[in-house]
Amino acid sequence: MAGPIIRNYKSGSIVYFEKDKAEDIYVLQKGRVILTFTSVNGNELKEDVRLGEFFGVKSALGRYPREETAQILGDASLLVFKVPEFEKFVSNKTHLIIKMLKVFSSQLRQVHRQLREILGQGEAKNPAFELMNVAEVFYKNGNYDHAAYAFQQYMKHYPDGNYAGRAKELYDSASRNAPYPINIPPLTYQGDAGSKASKLQDMLRTPAEAPKETSTANIDPNSIEGQFQKGLTLFKANQLDQAETILKPLCDREDTTTQDEEVAVEKSLFHIGLILYKKNKFDACFGSFSNYVKKYPKGSMLKEAIYHLALASEALNEKDKAKALFNKVTLLPPADDSMTSTAKTKLKALST
């Protein structure tokens, strides 16, 4: 192993761009480096690297693309490590590892605080509510495995909690990779009879079986999956025009080579229907969901697609068509989910 090297840069040089492949870890020895990155709320932020400080660590160790652009201001010198060299360098330097953990911990707290602000949430409530909240955020962002795991933990530790019924319903739905139900009321804080601190402590002491890893950190942002995730994020943020611009071209992609890519194409078509429904473009919405049903007669979101066909028909005042479609929803499994219950209520109302 050759060891770290010194690189000298001229003013204005770019050390790396955001989304570049991450291979090296840097230490600023002389000069000035500015990191430019986008925060979770979409704002561009800049951060100075201090002399002697590492940067580019997380992406290099995690083997995922750079999250920021690093630019030189004034001539500068950097000490450059390859990952194995860095791992060897810090292996016996406990103080350095602790320092990095503190920095990463602080960054995670900032991201957590910003996410709560974006989600319109205030200070943290009791553990039971926060567990449900985390589960539902996972679910709304399409992270079904993590959502199902969190709902399962709620049912395990708070079987008599105020949200037990809601957790069961959403667990059933998330386990089927079904989209978050649009007809379920928003989660509101109610306190929880089972929210004793000791239960949370028990959870923390009990080694949990990790859910299947579905991180999107290593997905190429320009790939079919990467584009779908970007479109889905915009959809969840209610940025419908931007989401439609990204998802619509994916619906016609025929160059998929993996099952994950095929699923991304299928879900793109489904979400285009949801976008059109949210924009009250019911004719176009009906056409999009009809296309989904025709293209994916055994699709994972078939029931939800037919349910939205019924809603669109109802909005277009086509009662007979809506009744037939709501009836179809009641015949599709599972028979005890909230969508079936709502379809039965709609069917009854349309028949009077």
Side-chain angles (χ1 to χ4, degrees):
M1 193 176 296
I5 61 173
I6 296 289
R7 285 184 193 161
N8 296 313
Y9 290 83
K10 295 292 185 182
S11 178
S13 299
I14 301 295
V15 182
Y16 55 77
F17 286 99
E18 182 181 356
K19 298 181 181 178
D20 276 355
K21 187 177 179 181
E23 294 180 333
D24 297 334
I25 294 169
Y26 304 88
V27 182
L28 177 60
Q29 290 201 317
K30 176 186 174 184
R32 187 180 174 194
V33 173
I34 294 290
L35 303 179
T36 303
F37 56 98
T38 304
S39 69
V40 292
N41 54 10
N43 297 325
E44 183 179 278
L45 301 176
K46 294 184 182 296
E47 180 179 314
D48 257 303
V49 178
R50 290 174 293 185
L51 288 176
E53 191 172 58
F54 289 96
F55 63 98
V57 179
K58 286 187 296 182
S59 53
L61 293 180
R63 305 292 198 278
Y64 54 78
R66 300 292 188 189
E67 296 178 320
E68 70 282 328
T69 295
Q71 184 174 17
I72 303 294
L73 296 182
D75 294 348
S77 297
L78 306 181
L79 184 62
V80 186
F81 288 84
K82 294 296 182 186
V83 171
E85 296 165 352
F86 179 77
E87 291 175 342
K88 182 179 179 181
F89 175 73
V90 300
S91 61
N92 60 352
K93 296 178 174 59
T94 307
H95 69 286
L96 189 56
I97 295 173
I98 292 175
K99 183 179 179 181
M100 287 193 294
L101 287 174
K102 287 181 177 178
V103 171
F104 296 159
S105 175
S106 176
Q107 291 173 345
L108 283 173
R109 283 197 298 273
Q110 291 179 30
V111 169
H112 179 70
R113 177 178 53 76
Q114 291 171 354
L115 282 174
R116 293 191 70 84
E117 290 175 357
I118 291 172
L119 294 171
Q121 299 169 347
E123 295 299 321
K125 309 293 184 183
N126 66 38
F129 175 81
E130 294 303 326
L131 182 55
M132 277 296 292
N133 191 34
V134 167
E136 296 205 15
V137 171
F138 274 136
Y139 196 177
K140 289 176 181 176
N141 284 282
N143 199 332
Y144 302 117
D145 288 340
H146 285 73
Y149 174 77
F151 287 130
Q152 191 177 42
Q153 291 303 306
Y154 182 93
M155 292 186 289
K156 176 181 177 182
H157 295 281
Y158 304 102
D160 302 319
N162 287 338
Y163 310 107
R166 183 186 181 99
K168 173 66 168 58
E169 179 180 345
L170 292 177
Y171 170 76
D172 291 342
S173 185
S175 298
R176 294 184 287 107
N177 287 351
Y180 186 90
I182 63 171
N183 57 331
I184 195 165
L187 178 68
T188 55
Y189 178 62
Q190 303 173 23
D192 199 302
S195 62
K196 296 178 181 177
S198 59
K199 291 195 173 185
L200 177 62
Q201 291 167 358
D202 287 344
M203 290 173 64
L204 295 175
R205 283 196 295 266
T206 304
E209 182 181 353
K212 180 183 177 182
E213 182 58 53
T214 57
S215 170
T216 59
N218 295 321
I219 295 177
D220 180 352
N222 296 316
S223 67
I224 291 176
E225 289 180 79
Q227 287 294 294
F228 171 70
Q229 292 298 335
K230 184 177 180 181
L232 184 62
T233 299
L234 290 168
F235 172 79
K236 297 298 183 184
N238 209 35
Q239 298 180 31
L240 301 181
D241 289 338
Q242 296 92 326
E244 185 177 7
T245 299
I246 291 175
L247 295 176
K248 199 167 185 177
L250 297 181
C251 300
D252 299 321
R253 293 286 292 262
E254 296 180 346
D255 55 341
T256 56
T257 57
T258 67
Q259 186 175 3
D260 288 340
E261 289 180 346
E262 292 175 3
V263 170
V265 170
E266 178 190 342
K267 289 185 175 179
S268 295
L269 180 56
F270 178 82
H271 281 83
I272 286 294
L274 289 182
I275 289 169
L276 294 170
Y277 180 79
K278 286 193 167 199
K279 294 168 80 171
N280 294 330
K281 295 181 177 180
F282 299 118
D283 281 320
C285 164
F286 193 92
S288 182
F289 280 121
S290 295
N291 190 21
Y292 176 90
V293 173
K294 181 179 178 181
K295 192 172 180 179
Y296 303 102
K298 297 182 179 179
S300 60
M301 290 160 287
L302 177 65
K303 185 171 182 176
E304 288 80 1
I306 295 175
Y307 179 77
H308 284 86
L309 282 170
L311 292 177
S313 299
E314 186 181 29
L316 292 168
N317 203 28
E318 296 176 346
K319 291 186 178 181
D320 289 340
K321 187 183 290 185
K323 285 169 59 179
L325 289 165
F326 278 129
N327 185 57
K328 177 68 174 176
V329 172
T330 66
L331 300 176
L332 293 172
D336 58 350
D337 65 351
S338 60
M339 202 176 303
T340 299
S341 177
T342 303
K344 287 179 178 178
T345 302
K346 292 274 190 182
L347 197 54
K348 186 177 180 180
L350 289 169
S351 299
T352 57

